[in-house]
Amino acid sequence: MFADWPLLSLLVWLPIISGIVVLMVGDRSPQAVRRLSLFGSLLVFLISLLLVTGFDSTTASMQFVERLPWISTFHIEYFLGVDGISMPLIILTTFTTVLVVLAGWDVIEEKVSQYMAAFLIMEGMMIGTFAALDAIQFYFFFEGMLIPMYLVIGIWGGPRRVYATLKFFLYTFLGSVFMLVALIYMYFQSGSFSVLDMHALPLNMTEQTLIFLAFLIAFAVKIPMWPVHTWLPDAHVEAPTGGSVILAAIMLKIGGYGFMRFSLPITPDASHALDWMIIFMSLVAIVYIGFVALAQSDMKKLVAYSSISHMGFVTLGMFVVFMIMANPVGEGGAALALEGAMIQMVSHGFISAAMFLAIGVMYDRLHSREISAYGGVASSMPMFAAFVVLFAMANVGLPGTSGFVGEFMVILASYKANFWIAFIAALTLIIGAAYTLWMVKRVIFGEIRHQEVARMPDLNGREFVIMASLAFFVLLVGVWPDPLAHVMHASIDNLVHHIAQSKL
Amino acid sequence: MTLDALNLMPVLPEIILLTLACAILLIDVFMREGQRDVTYGLTQLALVVTSVAVLSGMGMDQRLSFEGSVINDGLSDVMKLFILLITAMAFALSRDYMKERGIQKGEYYLLGLFGVLGMMVMVSSYSLLLIYLGLELMSLAMYAMVAVHRDDIRASEAAMKYFVLGALASGLLLYGMSMLYGVTGSLDIPAIRQAVMAGTASDTALLFAAVFIVAGLVFKVGAAPFHMWLPDVYDGAPTGVTLYLSAAPKIAALAIILRLLGDAMIGMLPDWQTLLIVFAVASLFVGNVVAIAQTSFKRMLAYSTISHVGFILLGVLAGTKAGFASALFYTITYALMTVGGFGLIAYLASKGLEADKLDDLKGLNDRSPWMAFILLILMFSMAGIPFTLGFWAKLAVLQAVVEIDMVWLAVYAVVMSVIGAFYYLRALKMAYFDKPIVKGLQPRSWDARMVLNVNGLAILALGLYPTSLIALCATVFNAG
């Protein structure tokens, strides 16, 4: 019944249209705005579930394809389609947006319509980024989403919001413009902006290296990798809870997605030649940024650094594949690494969203993000404390939670490449446990040192729904990751075959 | 001279505009001080009638007329229509502003109309003489317009500066033209093109001619390092006049650049290409970096103009059909954005408040979310962020530059536009993140409101679907 629907177009434009409607309703009736936004985001989430039911996981080719001429003079197409790599990320986007709308329900009192509209419009743009198969269309959404995020951090952010949002915007913008030039260059080589044509485009080593570096700047800033990560802690700390959630859960994934969709298949030889660099940067992120996280006194900053560290696993998993393939006993390890990276992205989407939402819950009550302002929260908010401990365990990578699956797969695969890479990566299990559990100890447990903490009410119904749904997914992916892995299996196998063949 | 050569149909729009301008001049004499809106209405009517004449003349068989000195091609038609449209928008946006300051004089509209006539002559001219004639007609009208607020010292200074430097630029251009005439023996562009292509003319003299012509042209459009006059003039002139000066004349200037460099001297592309690279690189640098230091929004937009001129020159220097098409597309985009930008300043101004400082934008989102949204569209479009028309304009130019294998120039341009993004974002920071100093907005007349809204929404709509505008610019040059 839904087979002929332009599902992806619907998913891209319905949130944007809902955003415009919400803006037009305006701030005269904030309650109507909230309900409308919730309705819009839920509707989009339900529609996105049709992608799951209609998805054919046996094929690596693009599905739900819509292909129309857009700007024929430049051969730019309106070209949407998903495969096993992008589909889970779209579901993650639609799910997270519902949570963000809920999380801003009574917290945002000023300019409610603009707040909700910004997130709805951003949702459409993020889905567009994941679904776009025309390179310019991808760039169009990739850049476009900076606009609502700039406003979200700047209007509803903390005291240093102007600095943070400008830094966020300019960093990401600077990263992505090089990619634009690279895309234009490839257009003149292949005569088309289609990403699939670019995958097949033969390029010599010099071209590949330069294009790879252009992509690297764009995606390394976005994901973000050490040493271009410095915008992220600032942006996270200053952003309102919803902004942090979207940043951590989805925007960072766009960097990882970009590596898989652009860098690896378009420039396999350059990726191979420069994989040591990415692996090095990933390991630095995993270890060094982990230690940086340990030193934070601001909870949001701590989770932000932990995000960077976890993203190190994603980039490690993606670029360790060449070393695995070079190893004769590495059979099947490449696909394992890539799948691990993907699962890590999805899992981090849930966990980081949960962590930021949990911090948001505390911030709404005490208006402080300092670890030292809390202590003994468990005695005043037992239900909340239970959730936080669960999410903290997931962040550490405890077996049975989603955080374990991805990290374990990446470490296992890295072992087939080089023992020491796996060893250094595995250090995260210790460092991650240290910073996460230490924070939990200082915030949740211990004696109540501040009277305000004792008066903090436990979760209300709305907050409980948010926490419970996230906990559900964290555990589901943790104990039963098969369906998720199954969806991406064919696409990842295809990618492994593609990058195994040199373009030279 | 045969009867056929005297056919006036090809210049009918110009004749109509001239006649109507003279008629308005006569009518305006009988208007009292409070009745300038009549002159305004008639001026808009004249622009509409002229547009209709241009539209009805499109697709005329006769491409060349007046013994080859007037050309009517796709380029001239498209440019004339946009010049008329943008000018009408500028007049609509400036009306309240001029009225509040007591400078809504008949002269403002009449000089404006004669300036438009000059632009139309420039666009259609196909011989050196006519190019110069049109340019001077336009420039003289604009010098006087800057001084329309006679008692304002800054405006008078701006007018003086504009006049002296404009005359210098005209002198340079004229000198170059005379040398070109001397070595090729003709004033007509096709004949010059053939002489240049044939290589019979002296190289040294041609090179000299090219240098002076290019210098004169970039002086006129305000490319760095010949940009010194531009911020002072745009800032010093009353905003209503800046609206007029900054937008439509750039389209006409592009016309003569394309006729002179892209047509007459296309045979020496490598020579003027090198020159234009220097000017484009300098303009992108000055326009984007110096703008950061500005506290005046109006002056910031003036510097932003310089950087846009840099982008337009990038399109021209590609020297390909796609490059010229991208320059045309960028110029039209620029004109729409700029008329919106300065129009917004005029819109936010009130009696006694110029609203031209960045601080005046503070809290615009609280004062009027809709106007803040228009500002948002304009700023992101100028910065070249997707979902706005400005992105496609930059993309078109970058494509043209990459196509001629000047990837480094494209990389330089995008890095500069990142630097430029900073000050556009700062304007938005004032409007969205800061608390308002004053409350509410001055009520504005319906035409200004409509023009500003339609302009902003058009930039957004064309940002989503620029297909027809891009195709139009490409077909003008048979490119794509």
Side-chain angles (χ1 to χ4, degrees), chain B residues 377-408:
Chain B
I377 297 172
L378 290 170
M379 291 296 108
F380 279 123
S381 182
M382 288 189 186
I385 307 292
F387 281 78
T388 61
L389 185 57
F391 166 67
W392 299 110
K394 288 214 162 63
L395 179 74
V397 168
L398 291 175
Q399 281 197 352
V401 175
V402 172
E403 196 178 11
I404 57 162
D405 282 332
M406 291 201 179
V407 179
W408 68 271

Side-chain angles (χ1 to χ4, degrees), chain B residues 7-23:
Chain B
N7 187 357
L8 294 178
M9 284 309 282
V11 290
L12 191 63
E14 284 84 352
I15 293 176
I16 289 176
L17 182 61
L18 178 63
T19 317
L20 290 175
C22 292

Side-chain angles (χ1 to χ4, degrees), chain B residues 124-333:
Chain B
S124 264
S125 55
Y126 214 41
S127 91
L128 298 184
L129 266 186
L130 211 54
I131 287 178
Y132 191 72
L133 191 73
L135 181 65
E136 285 306 281
L137 180 54
M138 176 189 84
S139 301
L140 284 173
M142 295 201 305
Y143 302 145
M145 281 172 90
V146 175
V148 70
H149 202 183
R150 282 198 293 244
D151 305 325
D152 184 7
I153 294 177
R154 282 182 68 215
S156 309
E157 186 201 325
M160 196 63 207
K161 196 176 258 180
Y162 195 22
F163 175 68
V164 172
L165 291 175
L168 180 65
S170 299
L172 289 174
L173 186 65
L174 197 58
Y175 189 50
M177 284 177 171
S178 70
M179 275 201 271
L180 197 58
Y181 172 65
V183 286
T184 59
S186 176
L187 287 171
D188 291 337
I189 286 182
I192 297 173
R193 183 180 59 224
Q194 273 165 10
V196 172
M197 291 273 207
T200 47
S202 145
D203 279 350
T204 323
L206 263 183
L207 205 56
F208 263 96
V211 169
F212 278 104
I213 285 177
V214 168
L217 290 174
V218 297
F219 220 126
K220 283 281 176 195
V221 293
F226 298 149
H227 65 282
M228 303 298 186
W229 60 272
L230 194 142
D232 290 341
V233 172
Y234 282 19
D235 192 22
T239 307
V241 176
T242 312
L243 256 173
Y244 178 92
L245 307 179
S246 57
K250 290 281 188 286
I251 300 178
L254 177 71
I256 62 171
I257 290 177
L258 290 178
R259 302 285 187 212
L260 283 172
L261 301 181
D263 198 343
M265 302 204 284
I266 192 73
M268 42 194 309
L269 170 67
D271 297 315
W272 57 257
Q273 187 176 55
T274 319
L275 286 170
L276 285 191
I277 289 177
V278 175
F279 290 118
V281 165
S283 301
L284 287 170
F285 183 81
V286 169
N288 286 313
V289 174
V290 182
I292 293 174
Q294 306 306 317
T295 53
S296 157
F297 185 46
K298 205 170 157 190
R299 217 173 161 80
M300 189 198 96
L301 286 183
Y303 277 100
S304 132
T305 294
I306 299 173
S307 77
H308 290 307
V309 165
F311 260 98
I312 294 168
L313 292 183
L314 283 183
V316 175
L317 69 83
T320 56
K321 282 176 175 174
F324 297 152
S326 74
L328 176 62
F329 178 44
Y330 200 104
T331 310
I332 291 170
T333 306

